[in-house]
């Protein structure tokens, strides 16, 4: 379990950076060389490679070198731990919200029961009007 949390921490840390999220989004369209991935970013290649390294450590990206070209591809299995975590959190919060809704409905019913009944028969005032001509 601790190893799974460590993997989850690495995935979230990797996705916390907008450059790395952009790389992951680009790799959703298919594999690409590091040069192709780095092209839209205004940074030196060694700095860009640090982003690739973080993505590889998290398991989100795999790369392979062929000659002078390093090609990267997305490894979506790393997102399974994050998906499981989100589903677990959703279940917790949905249960909490369901309990909160039931509590609010109970309070509404209690307030409605505690109110005195409203008078439906209003008595009319038979005093003469103070307006002229009436």
């Amino acid at each position: 379990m601790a190893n799974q949390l460590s993997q989850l921490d690495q995935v979230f840390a990797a996705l916390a950076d907008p450059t790395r999220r952009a790389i992951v989004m680009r790799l959703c369209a298919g594999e690409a060389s590091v040069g192709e991935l780095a092209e839209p970013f205004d940074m030196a290649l060694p700095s860009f490679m640090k982003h690739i390294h973080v993505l590889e450590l998290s398991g989100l990206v795999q790369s392979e070198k062929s000659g002078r070209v390093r090609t990267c591809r997305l490894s979506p299995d790393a997102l399974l731990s994050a998906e499981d975590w989100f589903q677990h959190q959703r279940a917790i919060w949905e249960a909490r919200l369901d309990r909160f809704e039931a509590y609010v409905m109970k309070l509404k019913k209690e307030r409605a029961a505690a109110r005195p009944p409203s008078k439906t028969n209003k008595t009319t005032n038979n005093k003469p009007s103070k307006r002229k001509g009436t």
Side-chain angles (χ1 to χ4, degrees):
M1 180 75 174
N3 188 26
Q4 185 181 11
L5 286 178
S6 175
Q7 172 68 20
L8 184 62
D9 291 343
Q10 288 178 338
V11 168
F12 283 132
L15 294 174
D17 184 271
T19 300
R20 292 191 288 265
R21 285 194 306 270
I23 293 168
V24 169
M25 291 304 296
R26 166 51 188 88
L27 290 174
C28 285
E31 63 182 43
S33 70
V34 169
E36 292 171 332
L37 292 171
E39 190 176 311
F41 301 100
D42 186 26
M43 67 177 71
L45 194 56
S47 297
F48 187 78
M49 284 304 296
K50 289 181 182 179
H51 288 291
I52 297 295
H53 183 68
V54 170
L55 289 168
E56 286 179 319
L57 286 176
S58 72
L60 289 168
V61 170
Q62 294 177 344
S63 71
E64 135 184 330
K65 191 169 183 177
S66 176
R68 294 178 54 182
V69 177
R70 179 170 293 280
T71 304
C72 299
R73 69 181 163 280
L74 190 63
S75 180
D77 289 345
L79 291 172
L80 293 176
S81 61
E83 183 180 0
D84 290 343
W85 185 84
F86 280 122
Q87 287 178 350
H88 180 71
Q89 294 302 309
R90 175 177 285 159
I92 290 170
W93 281 100
E94 284 177 352
R96 287 178 179 173
L97 289 172
D98 289 345
R99 287 192 308 269
F100 181 67
E101 181 182 24
Y103 177 71
V104 168
M105 295 306 290
K106 177 184 167 193
L107 287 178
K108 283 184 178 181
K109 287 179 183 176
E110 287 173 358
R111 279 191 186 159
R115 283 188 193 135
S118 62
K119 295 182 181 180
T120 55
N121 295 337
K122 294 184 178 179
T123 57
T124 57
N125 191 353
N126 291 330
K127 293 183 183 178
S129 176
K130 293 184 180 181
R131 283 193 267 166
K132 291 183 182 180
T134 53

